[in-house]
Amino acid sequence: AQSVAQPEDQVNVAEGNPLTVKCTYSVSGNPYLFWYVQYPNRGLQFLLKYITGDNLVKGSYGFEAEFNKSQTSFHLKKPSALVSDSALYFCAVTGGGNKLTFGTGTQLKVEL
Amino acid sequence: KAGVTQTPRYLIKTRGQQVTLSCSPISGHRSVSWYQQTPGQGLQFLFEYFSETQRNKGNFPGRFSGRQFSNSRSEMNVSTLELGDSALYLCASSLPSGRVDEQFFGPGTRLTVL
């Protein structure tokens, strides 16, 4: 079985400050990890993925994520938050194939 | 390149009815997956189709079914609708590259069951 935990329902950060959205996972075998973002009344937009290789993955809109195998974590980060980053963020995992298991989501609120 | 399209965008049905949702993947994508999103259960995988065959299935009752056509377009059907089926149904497509690829999601169909 595979699972994802996003321990924070909401993260608040001031514009210009760095942001972190946390994600831990559990999966049999090698993990394939993804971050998606969802804006109100929209589908999910792909941000970045970890398949193999470098533990630091860079993605869209200045986001990056660090894969940590020993801590089974894949936290999403951005050096300088924008108000327009405010949205719902989902971490997802698969042990292979397209059956993604999603976390419960973290609402990011970036304030001026 | 056009994205994943889903029709209709909004749907209102009553209990006991059935519904069919449609998804057109990105051109060249042959894998189509369906997810249900609700406030209580979050995002849950329904099933995946590849080359007109169901390749993966989630833990949903048999009232939920799907199919894929030769042009990779997919439909999902829910029979005997229940109030709890009210949700945003998302379709996602991906390349059949043999690796694990990112899935591209459509805007979803918002189903309301009264």
Side-chain angles (χ1 to χ4, degrees):
Chain A
Q2 52 197 41
S3 65
V4 173
Q6 292 183 242
E8 301 154 318
D9 290 337
Q10 181 159 321
V11 169
N12 296 321
V13 65
E15 188 174 52
N17 283 0
L19 69 87
T20 298
V21 182
K22 296 180 181 177
C23 169
T24 58
Y25 67 89
S26 173
V27 69
S28 300
N30 293 323
Y32 301 89
L33 294 152
F34 300 82
W35 276 101
Y36 284 87
V37 60
Q38 186 175 35
Y39 295 96
N41 300 313
R42 302 280 295 276
L44 275 66
Q45 282 181 238
F46 169 76
L47 281 178
L48 51 80
K49 67 181 178 184
Y50 172 82
I51 303 298
T52 187
D54 289 340
N55 290 342
L56 184 64
V57 178
K58 293 190 182 297
S60 306
Y61 313 118
F63 284 94
E64 59 189 30
E66 186 166 11
F67 171 66
N68 187 315
K69 188 173 182 177
S70 62
Q71 296 186 5
T72 61
S73 67
F74 189 56
H75 301 331
L76 181 70
K77 301 184 180 188
K78 187 174 183 182
S80 179
L82 299 172
V83 171
S84 58
D85 293 330
S86 298
L88 186 57
Y89 290 79
F90 289 96
C91 180
V93 70
T94 176
N98 286 331
K99 183 178 180 179
L100 289 178
T101 296
F102 284 88
T104 51
T106 298
Q107 186 70 49
L108 173 66
K109 188 173 182 182
V110 182
E111 299 163 314
L112 288 169
Chain B
K1 192 184 256 190
V4 177
T5 58
Q6 292 187 245
T7 56
R9 291 292 310 278
Y10 301 92
L11 208 47
I12 298 176
K13 292 286 188 180
T14 56
R15 279 180 298 173
Q17 288 186 310
Q18 75 163 15
V19 67
T20 300
L21 312 181
S22 180
C23 171
S24 292
I26 292 172
S27 177
H29 287 194
R30 290 166 57 197
S31 168
V32 174
S33 297
W34 289 88
Y35 293 84
Q36 182 197 63
Q37 185 176 23
T38 61
Q41 299 299 315
L43 276 156
Q44 294 186 284
F45 173 82
L46 280 155
F47 28 64
E48 180 202 5
Y49 285 87
F50 177 76
S51 291
E52 302 178 63
T53 301
Q54 189 180 87
R55 186 157 73 170
N56 257 311
K57 190 178 189 308
N59 296 323
F60 279 81
R63 299 186 298 107
F64 292 81
S65 63
R67 59 177 175 168
Q68 187 180 34
F69 302 95
S70 58
N71 61 358
S72 295
R73 191 176 69 84
S74 177
E75 289 180 347
M76 69 163 279
N77 184 277
V78 187
S79 63
T80 319
L81 283 165
E82 301 177 359
L83 295 178
D85 297 332
S86 294
L88 181 67
Y89 290 88
L90 294 165
C91 166
S93 73
S94 63
L95 288 167
S97 68
R99 307 167 306 173
V100 177
D101 287 303
E102 60 268 31
Q103 295 178 46
F104 294 87
F105 284 79
T109 293
R110 172 78 60 185
L111 172 64
T112 301
V113 182
L114 302 176

